[in-house]
Every structure is written in C-alpha cells, then in structure tokens.
Amino acid sequence: MVTPTIGIQMSMLRNEAEIDFLGTLKKIKDIGYEAVEFDGFYRLKAKKVKAALEDYGLIGISAHTPLNYENQKKIVSDLKKQADYVAEVGIPYMISPWFPLPKKPIMADVDQYVDIVRQCSDAVREAGLQFGFCHLDGELKSLGKGKRILEEVLKRTSPEEMVIEFDLGWLKYADVDMEELLGRYAGRAPIVHFRDYKVGHIDTEVGEGVVGYDKLLPLVAELDIPYIIVKQTQFDRTPIESAKKSFAFFQRAGYARG
C-alpha cells in the first residue's frame, strides 16, 4: 500500500492564478499540497514554470488539455504544440478533460471516441508523455445492456494508449460501484479526482459532502493509486480557504503532512 500524494487542480484557484500564477503555486505549497494539476499556463514560458515547481518543491503531475473539437482536423496538430510545452515543463501526463457526446449516445460515438484517443495518444507519446482522459457525467451514460461509454472505451484501448483519471464525485453521482470499478482499473488510473458535493450536487470541500471520502481514501491507498487531486468549482468561502479546508481532511485522516 502506498500513501497517495495529495495535489490540487489549478482551475480551483483560477482567479488567483490569473493575477499571480507563480505566487499561487507558492500558496498551494504553503498549504501543504505536494502536487499540481494544471489547466493552463497563463502565457508563461515553460522553463519559468519548471523552475517555479523546482523552487517550491511541487510535482507537476498532469496538464488538463481540452481538445479542439470545433475543428477536428486540427486536434492532433494543436495537441502536439501543447505536448511540447508540457514536456519541457516536465509534466508526465496530458489529460483531456471531456469528450462531446449527444444526449443519447450510440456505439458509433464510442468508435469516434476510440479513434480520437488513438490519434492523440500517438501525438503525445512522440513528446515522451502519457495521454489520458478524465470523464464528466456524459461518459458514464449507458449504451444499454449494462454497457457504459467510458468502460467500452477502456476495453477497446490499451493502458499505453490511454490512462483514466476517475472523478469520484461524478462516479458517485452516476451511482457507479466505485469499489468494483477502481479495483478493476486501479493499475490504469494513476490519478483520481476527489470532488465532493452536497445535496443538490453543489460542490463542497472534500469530506464535507455526500461522496463518502472517509471510506474512499483508504480504498485509494490500498489500490496503490499514487495521486489524488482535489477539485472544486463552487464555493461558500474563498477558493484558498476551501483548498485549506480540503487539505485538512487529509491531515486528519493521516494522509498528509503539515
């Protein structure tokens, strides 16, 4: 069993990062987080971001990188440019945060999904990186006969082509058997999102909602999933205060220093 490294997604602190990106990284480290998942780099040069991570002792574990679905002919070329930047920073994973799906998806949508995964994976691996997907709720929709879109994509692609970043909040919302799913794919899930929510599906700090992280945290550790990333999009307090409150959950549970 490994003790997961606790990180945070920078989108949670977007307002702060737009004003002072590098200063926000330092605030993250000062709270106690050890890893960062990026969602943009605010026009900074890659070597400057890399130097800041080294100075603050932070791990840049992944970069959430939306694909250009508006112009699918440019998906791969656009991704290659971003992959070169991410590689220069020293981030190992490029994660696409969603896939556009119709309200009633069919197997042809899965075919398209798999084709895009393979194209993107080839482009990212050329830069020495690993490609992955992070789902929302759409990818958890049923295709009928007990089949879910995400699981069909995972069946039809290899771990080398695509890792999966499970969002445990969305899994809870979709009423997925998380213990079974995580157990089946833990070796393919190097990073998981801890997103908690209150009744009404309103985001809240980790441990304050209905997802059940008191039980899920030990499970993630037992499955040797190495990175946990805190994510939150709605706030009753400042995002920094929410980041501190979520980190305190891991401290109380004995999974974080500080």
Side-chain angles (χ1 to χ4, degrees):
M1 183 175 78
V2 302
T3 300
T5 298
I6 311 303
I8 191 169
Q9 190 179 93
M10 285 292 285
S11 64
M12 186 169 163
L13 304 172
R14 185 173 290 126
N15 291 341
E16 290 84 350
E18 287 176 348
I19 297 169
D20 183 2
F21 181 65
L22 300 183
T24 302
L25 288 175
K26 186 175 186 306
K27 289 178 182 179
I28 286 169
K29 180 61 178 180
D30 289 345
I31 292 170
Y33 289 99
E34 296 183 87
V36 176
E37 181 171 71
F38 292 97
D39 74 326
F41 298 94
Y42 299 89
R43 298 176 297 281
L44 269 73
K45 292 187 179 296
K47 61 183 179 181
K48 194 164 187 177
V49 178
K50 182 177 182 178
L53 291 172
E54 291 172 351
D55 289 345
Y56 301 146
L58 280 169
I59 299 166
I61 188 58
S62 52
H64 263 218
T65 309
L67 302 180
N68 187 358
Y69 293 117
E70 292 184 2
N71 186 350
Q72 294 198 16
K73 292 181 180 179
K74 296 185 67 177
I75 283 180
V76 173
S77 60
D78 286 356
L79 189 62
K80 282 183 177 179
K81 294 175 186 176
Q82 295 175 81
D84 289 339
Y85 180 102
V86 171
E88 188 177 348
V89 177
I91 297 167
Y93 293 100
M94 285 191 77
I95 309 290
S96 177
W98 69 290
F99 184 82
L101 290 161
K103 289 183 178 180
K104 293 184 178 181
I106 58 176
M107 193 59 74
D109 298 307
V110 174
D111 295 338
Q112 184 186 27
Y113 199 152
V114 169
D115 180 59
I116 287 175
V117 165
R118 289 182 174 143
Q119 291 182 55
C120 292
S121 178
D122 288 343
V124 166
R125 279 188 287 178
E126 285 179 11
L129 308 174
Q130 171 69 63
F131 182 70
F133 254 95
C134 181
H135 62 90
L136 298 178
D137 59 336
E139 295 89 341
L140 300 173
K141 289 180 179 178
S142 174
L143 290 161
K145 299 182 180 179
K147 295 180 178 181
R148 292 182 188 271
I149 294 167
L150 181 61
E151 291 177 75
E152 287 301 304
V153 173
L154 288 168
K155 286 178 185 176
R156 293 169 56 181
T157 55
S158 69
E160 291 74 29
E161 289 173 319
M162 184 186 95
V163 297
I164 182 64
E165 183 178 48
F166 287 119
D167 185 304
L168 304 193
W170 282 118
L171 293 182
K172 172 71 174 180
Y173 185 70
D175 197 27
V176 172
D177 183 340
M178 281 190 267
E179 184 171 354
E180 189 279 329
L181 188 67
L182 290 174
R184 185 153 38 106
Y185 289 109
R188 197 171 171 177
I191 311 165
V192 293
H193 275 173
F194 271 34
R195 180 209 295 264
D196 214 343
Y197 61 87
K198 300 179 285 189
V199 174
H201 205 242
I202 299 168
D203 276 14
T204 189
E205 292 76 24
V206 174
E208 299 294 312
V210 302
V211 176
Y213 286 112
D214 287 333
K215 294 181 179 178
L216 287 171
L217 178 54
L219 174 63
V220 166
E222 288 169 11
L223 293 171
D224 291 338
I225 295 174
Y227 290 94
I228 291 170
I229 298 294
V230 171
K231 182 167 184 179
Q232 184 176 345
T233 60
Q234 298 163 296
F235 304 93
D236 291 327
R237 47 184 57 84
T238 68
I240 284 288
E241 288 171 340
S242 288
K244 290 177 180 177
K245 194 172 180 65
S246 286
F247 189 75
F249 165 81
F250 298 100
Q251 290 176 306
R252 292 193 301 272
Y255 284 82
R257 294 187 291 273

